[in-house]
Amino acid sequence: MKDDAQNNSATYAPTPEFAAKAHVGAAQYDEMYARSLSDPDGFWGEQAQRLDWMARPTRIKDTCFDFGKVSIKWFEDGVLNVAYNCVDRHLPARANQTAIIFEPDNPEDPAQHITYAQLYDKVNRMANVLLSQGVMRGDRVVIYLPMIPEAAYAMLACARIGAIHSIVFAGFSPDALANRINDCGAKIVITADTAPRGGRKTALKSNTDAALLHCSDKVRCLVVKHTGDQTSWIQGRDVDLNYLMEHAAPDCPPRPMNAEDPLFILYTSGSTGKPKGVVHSSAGYLLYAAMTQEMVFDYHEGDIYWCTADVGWVTGHSYIVYGPLANGATTLMFEGVPTWPDASRFWQVCEK
């Protein structure tokens, strides 16, 4: 037992070759961290060059922590668009590079490789669909989807037109979904017919129908026909998203957004009381997601990158969608679970 404990606490240093190629070594990290404290304006002003700006910020850090007054603003006079940074700016060099690899729940189904050019097309079409449904800048859109490419399209489409998305984990109940729709005042819910996961299916559309019984009758429901399973349909409220995207215009100019404009609302789990909506702003969030995706995970050009989280959580927001795509990476979205059909599924995906 003692030997086992010692083995479990062992540390393994990287090879010299691996360490030499790392973006940040221990000494460089200490230096960067110290400068971020001593000269935050200079440090974060330099890091802001990672992003493409419509108007480059001149005010970098504006924070106040006086008793009874807390104000935190980053890059507050800057203007940009998050979707542009994650998609459009990569097209000249990466149009034919894979942006997203979608690995379905069923290992016998082929993976999909979605290029940056295809991602641009899908995001623009979905943005135009949202506009056609009356979604405007500042409106809230709830996304209740499985781990499928449409979840990324929806996030980026909202960012493109200045709408604020709020993702609800596909494993949450109708009550949890209704609470979040009502709390954020959503105008639209985007869901799917069913969600395959671990060889089983969750009836997302049925859950959404149950949730919307407790919401305003003005909330519309966009449905991704993902599995083709039969669902109920309420005329005038439910809309076939696949059909609308197929017939939508493939171009939607990205809206200029202030750095401090909200990008998304993500709710706490509710394990310690009523779920609380946490608002994330545009520029500071995207910059930090991009910076940490590259440096913490040591992403290098040409790597295939996989974060095994779910987009229903902030880790999935940051390290499946926004961080990797801002860096022009190839990111993998996995619909399934690590233990189905057997416990080797993760390693089968890695090998594939």
Side-chain angles (χ1 to χ4, degrees):
M1 292 296 291
K2 183 177 180 181
D3 289 343
D4 288 342
Q6 289 175 340
N7 289 336
N8 288 337
S9 64
T11 58
Y12 301 90
T15 64
E17 294 79 13
F18 185 91
K21 294 178 182 178
H23 287 301
V24 179
Q28 186 183 0
Y29 172 81
D30 290 340
E31 179 184 337
M32 291 174 66
Y33 179 66
R35 184 171 175 229
S36 74
L37 298 179
S38 64
D39 179 22
D41 279 19
F43 178 83
W44 290 109
E46 289 178 8
Q47 291 299 326
Q49 296 176 32
R50 293 173 173 273
L51 304 181
D52 280 11
W53 298 86
M54 298 172 177
R56 191 168 293 278
T58 61
R59 295 196 298 273
I60 305 302
K61 178 178 181 286
D62 181 6
T63 59
C64 175
F65 298 98
D66 290 342
F67 182 76
K69 179 185 176 183
V70 175
S71 175
I72 302 171
K73 295 179 181 179
W74 286 93
F75 316 109
E76 61 183 304
D77 61 340
V79 178
L80 81 172
N81 183 275
V82 169
Y84 179 91
N85 274 273
C86 291
V87 186
D88 305 46
R89 67 171 176 160
H90 302 310
L91 293 179
R94 305 179 188 275
N96 296 319
Q97 177 195 311
T98 298
I100 299 172
I101 300 173
F102 170 59
E103 177 67 24
D105 183 57
N106 186 345
E108 296 181 2
D109 292 340
Q112 296 178 30
H113 290 248
I114 300 152
T115 67
Y116 273 94
Q118 291 168 331
L119 180 62
Y120 174 86
D121 179 81
K122 295 291 188 182
V123 169
N124 276 270
R125 289 177 185 272
M126 189 171 284
N128 281 322
V129 168
L130 293 176
L131 291 172
S132 75
Q133 298 300 306
V135 177
M136 305 296 288
R137 180 189 183 117
D139 286 341
R140 277 74 65 202
V141 175
V142 164
I143 301 170
Y144 185 56
L145 287 172
M147 283 282 290
I148 57 178
E150 284 79 4
Y153 304 158
M155 295 166 71
L156 293 164
C158 288
R160 194 166 194 83
I161 63 174
I164 302 165
H165 67 71
S166 184
I167 298 183
V168 179
F169 174 53
F172 277 0
S173 69
D175 284 346
L177 176 61
N179 288 337
R180 288 157 174 78
I181 293 170
N182 289 329
D183 190 78
C184 74
K187 181 179 283 190
I188 295 282
V189 179
I190 302 175
T191 191
D193 41 19
T194 56
R197 197 163 186 261
R200 302 177 181 178
K201 290 181 180 179
T202 300
L204 293 189
K205 176 58 166 60
S206 296
N207 286 350
T208 305
D209 290 340
L212 290 177
L213 292 173
H214 306 283
C215 302
S216 166
D217 58 8
K218 295 181 180 179
V219 179
R220 306 203 74 188
C221 182
L222 305 186
V223 184
V224 177
K225 293 184 176 178
H226 176 48
T227 60
D229 289 316
Q230 187 172 359
T231 63
S232 60
W233 205 261
I234 296 180
Q235 201 66 29
R237 187 199 72 183
D238 298 342
V239 182
D240 182 344
L241 183 54
N242 305 67
Y243 177 84
L244 290 183
M245 284 185 64
E246 184 180 343
H247 293 85
D251 183 62
C252 178
R255 306 301 195 259
M257 303 299 295
N258 186 268
E260 279 292 308
D261 283 340
L263 176 63
F264 63 86
I265 301 170
L266 189 60
Y267 282 83
T268 59
S269 63
S271 57
T272 58
K274 182 180 178 181
K276 293 162 281 292
V278 181
V279 179
H280 292 256
S281 58
S282 296
Y285 167 79
L286 183 65
L287 174 58
Y288 198 73
M291 177 183 174
T292 51
Q293 192 270 335
E294 180 187 49
M295 293 185 176
V296 174
F297 299 105
D298 201 39
Y299 170 77
H300 290 265
E301 180 76 22
D303 288 347
I304 295 177
Y305 171 82
W306 181 16
C307 170
T308 62
D310 188 287
V311 291
W313 312 113
V314 74
T315 307
H317 283 58
S318 305
Y319 300 123
I320 296 175
V321 179
Y322 287 120
L325 294 179
N327 289 329
T330 297
T331 182
L332 191 144
M333 291 185 71
F334 177 49
E335 186 177 31
V337 296
T339 54
W340 187 85
D342 56 56
S344 65
R345 182 66 191 279
F346 266 18
W347 313 120
Q348 291 168 8
V349 175
C350 291
E351 182 180 33
K352 186 176 179 180

